[in-house]
Amino acid sequence: MEKINDLYIPFKALMVYRAESDNSYYVENHDLDSRGMAINAHPLSLKESKSLAEALDSSQRQAENFLHHKGLMGENILQLETGRNGRAVWFTGMVKKELHFVKGLHIPDGIAYVPPMIWKADRKQLSVWAMDMTGRPNETTLLYYAPFYNVYENGSVCFGNVKIEIPIDCSLSAFIGSWEHYFFGSSFSHLIGGEVPINGNLNDTWKRQITAGRKFPLIAMKKTGRSLAEVLL
């Protein structure tokens, strides 16, 4: 079910009747007064039927356009499913990102290298893993735990109270940009399940990364025991 963010005010109600003799249908339209009470019952007119059909068709077209793209697909796309239940898997290399941490971690905000990553998302949920290689991965590529706070052992990301809003007609490029912004734009705050996702101290690692500006130490990452093939759509 889609999450409704706007306030919708009921103003009409449809009553559908079915004949016992031949299972034919009759649709009656009711206006609603300020108290939500049905008034002015009348047969659903042709004009009203067309207006309702157009509204439903517009909603369907928007859903069908989810994760649409024009031209050649980016080299970073590993798998894609478009439409209402669309989702995608993509990867990023070792790049510099601005990172934010809650004060309780005593890690300064700043720019640091993050490891190559695998991303998997639909409109509601994001999962991330790390890689110890550069370039395009294949199905046998081994996955590592993403060396960040707020990530479950299975790769799912906890966004806390962050409001995730991905439009139903979102393009593929906007979709990827939005999820990466949500991930790096929110504040990293805590380990989930108490399991440290790297060999060593995660706090100290990110302090060094931000102050020294070095490439992320891939040797410190932990294997998940899974390959890319196991998380594809």
Side-chain angles (χ1 to χ4, degrees):
M1 181 177 179
E2 298 294 338
K3 183 177 181 181
I4 298 176
N5 296 315
D6 292 331
L7 177 63
Y8 288 83
I9 306 299
F11 74 103
K12 283 187 180 295
L14 300 179
M15 185 72 75
V16 181
Y17 298 87
R18 183 176 63 189
E20 293 182 347
S21 58
D22 58 2
N23 283 333
S24 61
Y25 292 89
Y26 161 69
V27 182
E28 195 171 68
N29 189 3
H30 297 254
D31 295 327
L32 300 180
D33 64 16
S34 59
R35 299 174 298 164
M37 302 296 292
I39 58 174
N40 188 28
H42 59 278
L44 186 68
S45 69
L46 180 60
K47 182 178 180 181
E48 290 168 330
S49 298
K50 287 182 177 179
S51 178
L52 177 61
E54 288 172 359
L56 294 175
D57 183 59
S58 175
S59 176
Q60 179 63 26
R61 285 199 305 270
Q62 281 187 316
E64 290 174 352
N65 283 334
F66 184 53
L67 298 189
H68 66 278
H69 62 282
K70 295 181 179 180
L72 296 176
M73 191 175 297
E75 287 292 323
N76 64 324
I77 307 301
L78 298 173
Q79 205 167 35
L80 175 65
E81 181 179 321
T82 62
R84 179 179 293 275
N85 298 314
R87 43 192 180 165
V89 180
W90 69 99
F91 74 95
T92 51
M94 185 178 293
V95 293
K96 283 186 174 181
K97 288 292 183 179
E98 184 172 354
L99 306 177
H100 306 274
F101 302 89
V102 296
K103 292 182 179 179
L105 292 177
H106 305 292
I107 304 173
D109 294 346
I111 296 174
Y113 279 102
V114 299
M117 295 174 61
I118 298 289
W119 307 68
K120 178 181 179 179
D122 55 25
R123 287 188 64 220
K124 305 296 183 182
Q125 180 63 53
L126 171 69
S127 298
V128 294
W129 299 269
M131 301 186 292
D132 70 342
M133 55 167 282
T134 57
R136 185 180 178 86
N138 57 45
E139 290 186 344
T140 64
T141 298
L142 298 179
L143 301 183
Y144 291 73
Y145 294 110
F148 301 98
Y149 298 93
N150 304 10
V151 181
Y152 288 93
E153 187 176 359
N154 66 0
S156 296
V157 180
C158 173
F159 285 99
N161 295 325
V162 176
K163 191 175 183 180
I164 303 298
E165 295 183 315
I166 305 291
I168 188 62
D169 58 349
C170 189
S171 69
L172 177 60
S173 59
F175 176 81
I176 289 175
S178 294
W179 274 122
E180 292 186 13
H181 173 74
Y182 280 125
F183 185 73
F184 290 119
S186 58
S187 294
F188 295 110
S189 59
H190 63 288
L191 289 172
I192 298 179
E195 194 69 29
V196 179
I198 64 169
N199 297 307
N201 186 291
L202 192 58
N203 278 43
D204 292 343
T205 297
W206 283 116
K207 286 178 184 177
R208 286 195 301 268
Q209 289 305 110
I210 289 174
T211 56
R214 298 172 182 168
K215 296 289 183 71
F216 191 89
L218 303 182
I219 195 172
M221 299 194 306
K222 289 182 179 179
K223 294 180 180 179
T224 64
R226 305 170 72 190
S227 67
L228 176 58
E230 296 177 67
V231 302
L232 290 176
L233 306 180

